[in-house]
């Protein structure tokens, strides 16, 4: 009698996944063991392996949307003929459009694939915008001398997710005001003090330099930019058509620019709203990589707690309306600052109250009239200027300041 084995597709798929997972685990264990052998036998500098795998300066860019943060830094390193290893997620990263000679680009993938590479790194300084070092999958390599985090927004450092920057050696800031809250958290959590260095905001430097090249629209009509954050407390998820319907019905030109994360986390919300307004000629959806195009076209912005408010205010000096949607601070570091209950004393919310015009849900039905009657007073303009000076320091020089810092950590 002939016998044969049959494995149903579901079981076969499961077994295949187990085999692949086991193979991957063995591979990375082998890599880790090999690294330990190299550490034991290789020459060392400041406790670090100095061999073919060692890199003085490493920058990790987890997503191409952070290109504007790193471009001034890479440009400065290239100008100084300083070799920097630049890790990117895909070969679609904008860095490949540059003609760098001293920037060594490596594609290391996304998620766990990238973390596997980073966790076994041998380097002097590693700079990144990525959060959660030593909290999630991304771990500190014992063979990296210094980990630096650079803020990618000119707003509170405590508005990151919990423990996001706790285990870095340094944090590079856009303004001096960000230091006090980080020190408070370090004290509360019994953490060693990090180096806190105010370098400025590289991506705002980039956007500011681009604005002069943008042409003005012919036959411009009054335009409202709706540009919220993402999540259940954000504008589009919480209010959706309640906010947009009155704007659309007013006949004013409306540009809706969702947060990049919304396409991933709120795709159903966006699909529903796009379908609702697909035949409305005065509605535009903006998914451009650079937000300055939509900001340049608009005359006023409506937002919530999104960091784009500060981009808009600092770069274009135009009025902002905001909806206080009661952001739940529990997932954020700011929640652990007891004296900042409900976010009342968080800098970015204080600043917004000083230069922004608050919009309440019960006012949505008369939104068009509120916008038309909104005046840009001298008081609001002065408040915008004050916030800009506090949050965006060292303007135009961030790239140089960051490279100076990185070199100082190694040399």
């Amino acid at each position: 009698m002939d016998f044969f084995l049959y494995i149903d597709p579901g079981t076969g798929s499961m077994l295949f996944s187990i085999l692949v997972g086991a193979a991957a685990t063995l591979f990375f264990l082998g890599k880790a063991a090999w690294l330990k052998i190299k550490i034991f036998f290789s020459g060392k500098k400041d406790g670090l392996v100095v061999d073919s795998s060692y890199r003085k300066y490493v920058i990790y860019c987890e997503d191409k949307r952070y290109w504007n943060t790193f471009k001034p830094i890479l440009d400065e390193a290239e100008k100084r003929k300083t070799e920097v290893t630049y890790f990117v997620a895909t070969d679609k990263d904008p860095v490949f459009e540059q003609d760098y000679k001293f920037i060594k680009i490596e594609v290391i993938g996304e998620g766990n694939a990238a973390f596997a590479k980073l966790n076994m790194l041998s380097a002097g300084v590693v700079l990144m915008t990525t959060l959660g070092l030593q909290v999630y999958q991304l771990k500190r390599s014992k063979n990296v001398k210094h980990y630096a985090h650079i803020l990618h927004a000119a707003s509170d450092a405590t508005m990151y997710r919990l423990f996001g920057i706790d285990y870095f050696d340094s944090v590079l800031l856009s303004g001096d005001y960000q230091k006090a809250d980080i020190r408070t958290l370090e004290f509360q959590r019994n953490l060693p003090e990090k180096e806190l260095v105010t370098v400025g905001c590289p991506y705002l430097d980039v956007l500011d330099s681009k604005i002069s090249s943008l042409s003005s629209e012919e036959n411009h009509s009054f335009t409202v930019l709706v540009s919220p954050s993402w999540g259940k407390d954000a504008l589009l998820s919480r209010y959706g058509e309640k906010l947009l319907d009155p704007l659309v019905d007013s006949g004013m030109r409306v540009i809706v620019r969702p947060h990049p994360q919304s396409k991933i986390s709120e795709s159903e919300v966006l699909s529903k709203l796009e379908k609702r307004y697909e035949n409305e000629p005065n509605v535009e959806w903006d998914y451009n990589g650079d937000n300055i195009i939509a900001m340049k076209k608009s005359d006023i912005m409506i937002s919530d707690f999104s960091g784009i408010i500060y981009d808009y205010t600092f770069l274009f000096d135009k009025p902002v309306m905001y909806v206080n949607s009661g952001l739940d601070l529990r997932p954020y570091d700011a929640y652990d600052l007891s004296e900042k209950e409900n976010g009342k004393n968080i800098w970015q919310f204080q600043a917004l109250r000083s230069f922004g015009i608050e919009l309440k849900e019960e006012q949505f039905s008369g939104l068009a009239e509120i916008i038309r009657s909104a005046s840009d007073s001298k008081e609001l303009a002065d408040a915008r200027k004050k916030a800009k000076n506090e949050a965006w320091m060292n303007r135009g020089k961030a790239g140089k300041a960051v490279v100076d810092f990185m070199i100082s950590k190694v040399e």
Side-chain angles (χ1 to χ4, degrees):
M1 180 181 293
D2 293 329
F3 292 95
F4 62 90
L5 295 174
Y6 169 76
I7 300 177
D8 65 87
T11 303
S13 176
M14 181 180 69
L15 289 173
F16 180 74
S17 297
I18 292 172
L19 288 171
V20 171
T25 300
L26 288 172
F27 172 77
F28 289 120
L29 285 173
K31 291 274 285 185
W34 176 239
L35 179 62
K36 288 180 180 179
I37 292 171
K38 288 201 294 181
I39 290 172
F40 185 79
F41 288 106
S42 299
K44 297 184 178 182
K45 180 180 179 181
D46 296 326
L48 305 181
V49 173
V50 180
D51 64 3
S52 59
S53 69
Y54 174 79
R55 300 164 169 89
K56 274 189 178 182
Y57 311 109
V58 173
I59 295 177
Y60 169 51
C61 181
E62 65 177 291
D63 190 282
K64 63 183 180 180
R65 68 177 181 266
Y66 297 114
W67 166 241
N68 283 339
T69 293
F70 293 120
K71 183 180 186 300
I73 303 167
L74 298 177
D75 286 350
E76 179 68 20
E78 179 74 11
K79 176 182 173 183
R80 299 190 194 191
K81 299 182 179 180
T82 300
E83 189 170 298
V84 172
T85 300
Y86 190 58
F87 289 145
V88 296
T90 72
D91 57 6
K92 301 295 189 297
D93 195 279
V95 71
F96 287 102
E97 299 171 11
Q98 309 299 307
D99 188 26
Y100 289 138
K101 301 293 189 300
F102 294 89
I103 309 304
K104 308 304 178 184
I105 310 163
E106 293 187 31
V107 178
I108 63 171
E110 301 173 287
N112 288 336
F115 298 149
K117 173 81 172 180
L118 293 166
N119 292 351
M120 296 185 291
L121 200 57
S122 176
V125 176
V126 178
L127 175 70
M128 62 180 76
T129 56
T130 309
L131 298 169
L133 179 67
Q134 205 64 17
V135 178
Y136 302 113
Q137 296 98 323
L138 179 59
K139 305 298 183 184
R140 290 180 62 103
S141 169
K142 294 180 180 179
N143 211 43
V144 169
K145 180 180 180 183
H146 189 97
Y147 282 96
H149 174 83
I150 184 167
L151 301 185
H152 57 271
S155 55
D156 287 84
T158 57
M159 287 304 294
Y160 280 146
R161 298 282 168 161
L162 281 166
F163 319 118
I165 58 175
D166 279 3
Y167 300 103
F168 284 90
D169 300 303
S170 62
V171 181
L172 307 186
L173 310 173
S174 69
D176 287 342
Y177 83 92
Q178 294 158 335
K179 294 178 181 179
D181 287 343
I182 296 176
R183 290 289 183 240
T184 300
L185 287 176
E186 288 171 342
F187 178 78
Q188 287 182 355
R189 296 172 181 174
N190 196 28
L191 295 169
E193 286 193 353
K194 293 176 277 293
E195 280 190 75
L196 303 179
V197 183
T198 301
V199 296
C201 192
Y203 87 89
L204 282 179
D205 290 347
V206 172
L207 296 182
D208 193 37
S209 68
K210 288 182 178 181
I211 289 173
S212 60
S213 65
L214 297 178
S215 58
S216 299
E217 290 184 299
E218 294 183 13
N219 304 316
H220 173 78
S221 59
F222 188 88
T223 302
V224 180
L225 173 60
V226 180
S227 189
S229 188
W230 65 278
K232 63 182 180 64
D233 294 321
L235 218 54
L236 294 182
S237 286
R238 186 155 185 169
Y239 301 112
E241 61 269 19
K242 287 183 182 179
L243 174 75
L244 294 178
D245 279 357
L247 285 174
V248 176
D249 293 341
S250 72
M252 290 186 291
R253 181 191 188 190
V254 180
I255 299 176
V256 185
R257 180 180 169 81
H259 190 281
Q261 185 64 30
S262 291
K263 294 189 75 173
I264 300 170
S265 303
E266 302 172 310
S267 57
E268 291 184 13
V269 172
L270 295 185
S271 296
K272 175 186 171 186
L273 292 174
E274 286 180 359
K275 185 169 180 61
R276 183 180 182 88
Y277 304 113
E278 61 184 351
N279 295 319
E280 300 292 345
N282 60 325
V283 178
E284 300 174 19
W285 292 84
D286 181 75
Y287 293 104
N288 283 316
D290 274 349
N291 54 25
I292 56 171
I293 299 172
M295 290 194 286
K296 170 79 172 178
K297 292 177 180 178
S298 66
D299 298 282
I300 192 169
M301 174 190 280
I302 299 177
S303 190
D304 41 35
F305 48 87
S306 174
I308 197 175
I309 289 173
Y310 308 97
D311 297 355
Y312 191 71
T313 299
F314 299 162
L315 292 168
F316 291 94
D317 195 26
K318 297 176 183 178
V320 171
M321 303 184 79
Y322 68 96
V323 180
N324 185 356
S325 54
L327 174 65
D328 183 1
L329 288 176
R330 284 176 295 180
Y332 303 92
D333 276 329
Y335 183 77
D336 282 353
L337 299 174
S338 57
E339 73 274 17
K340 299 193 172 186
E341 185 180 357
N342 299 322
K344 291 179 182 176
N345 297 317
I346 293 174
W347 179 89
Q348 65 188 64
F349 297 146
Q350 280 186 322
L352 182 56
R353 285 194 294 271
S354 71
F355 65 71
I357 303 167
E358 185 174 4
L359 182 64
K360 299 183 182 297
E361 183 178 0
E362 56 265 28
Q363 296 176 302
F364 286 177
S365 59
L367 184 53
E369 188 57 37
I370 293 172
I371 290 173
R372 291 190 181 100
S373 62
S375 61
D376 188 15
S377 67
K378 183 179 184 301
E379 183 182 5
L380 291 177
D382 288 345
R384 290 198 298 268
K385 181 179 179 181
K386 180 176 182 293
K388 178 177 179 178
N389 289 336
E390 290 175 347
W392 183 14
M393 300 179 74
N394 201 34
R395 267 171 282 191
K397 303 175 183 177
K400 179 181 183 302
V402 174
V403 174
D404 284 344
F405 175 80
M406 293 178 71
I407 291 175
S408 74
K409 292 295 98 184
V410 174
E411 303 297 341

